[in-house]
Amino acid sequence: MTPSQSTQPLSRRVAPMMAALMAGIAMTAAAGSAAAYPDKPVMLVVTYPPGGTVDVVARLIAPKLSTVLGQPVVIDNRGGAGGMIGGAYVARAKPDGYTLMLDASNHAQNPALHSKMQFDTLRDFAPVSLLLRVPNALVVTPSSSIKSVADLIKLGKGAGKPVYFASAGNGSAQHLAGELFNQLAGTQLQHVAYKGGGPAMVDVMAGQVPVMFASMGSAWPHIKSGKLRPVAVGGATRSKAAPQLPTIAESGVPGYESYEWNAVFAPAGTPQPILDQVSKALAQVLKDPKVAEQLAGFGAEVIGSTPEELDSFRKGEIAKWKKVAAQSKLQLD
């Protein structure tokens, strides 16, 4: 002990040692908890109601994830408010790896549309894995005169009758996909909001509204049946499910890229070893040939990322949609 240290009050000399000791105990406890993980059932909170695409994905991967982890994976649907009800629940959950969240692209779009939320998307959720991306598809009524992206751009820039596009509602992924098209193509397509993607697609098939930037997952059965005519896909590359379809970007709208995606998150503060373990388990599940085949069947691009890759992806998505929403003057609260 140096002379200067010996003159310090005992409490000032002991405090740093106690802080270091407590930090060491906390790290040891976290490591021990991660090493034993999982030793009980894991809850997978799905932020959308049963029956939708997000729920279908959850019920496809949950049994396989249970096998890999060695514990039951129980699905808990907490739908509503574009994923924000389930998100608020998970944000408050104990960060121990036993509450996970399967969310969709609204995870990155909600911050662009809502100034008041019950959670902070970046601060309150730890990324685990980007499971898949499904490109939006530009679809039209079969009898429509729109046969190409160029046709839509020409009509959308014209001074004649307005061209309308349908979506599942204000601020939905399909709505934002259309607004992104307007901004990059210089068109003035007019938005028609429905209460759900199903009613919107029914009206497009019936010719009530001619255009929709639909999720390929939900549109694909109607494309195969001839009830919808596909024009182009919104991904960066052509879809393996429909390689004959050009991308919107290659068809005259450079930079256009729009997906609906699914990813798994955990409450912020969940130990990194647990995040890595679940991420690797999900990657293993997605490599299962039957799982991959079923996901690819509706145009999904199977990914299975690391937590770091998902974090980078979601930050890019949030920045992108904030810009689109700002330029469209689109705010939902």
Side-chain angles (χ1 to χ4, degrees), residues 33 44 74 79 135 178 226 239 281 315-316 320:
S33 175
L44 181 62
V74 181
S239 171
K315 286 176 180 175
K320 171 182 178 176

Side-chain angles (χ1 to χ4, degrees), residues 156-178:
K157 286 183 176 180
K161 185 179 178 181
V163 179
Y164 295 95
F165 74 96
S167 88
N170 285 319
S172 65
Q174 302 89 28
H175 181 191
L176 289 173

Side-chain angles (χ1 to χ4, degrees), residues 183-194:
Q183 290 173 19
L184 295 180
T187 51
Q188 298 292 326
L189 307 181
Q190 300 297 305
H191 175 232
V192 180
Y194 284 79

Side-chain angles (χ1 to χ4, degrees), residues 84 106-107 110-112 114-121 333:
M84 290 194 289
N106 282 90
H107 181 87
N110 282 330
H114 299 273
S115 59
K116 298 177 182 178
M117 296 172 61
Q118 296 183 51
F119 53 81
D120 183 295
T121 303
D333 59 19

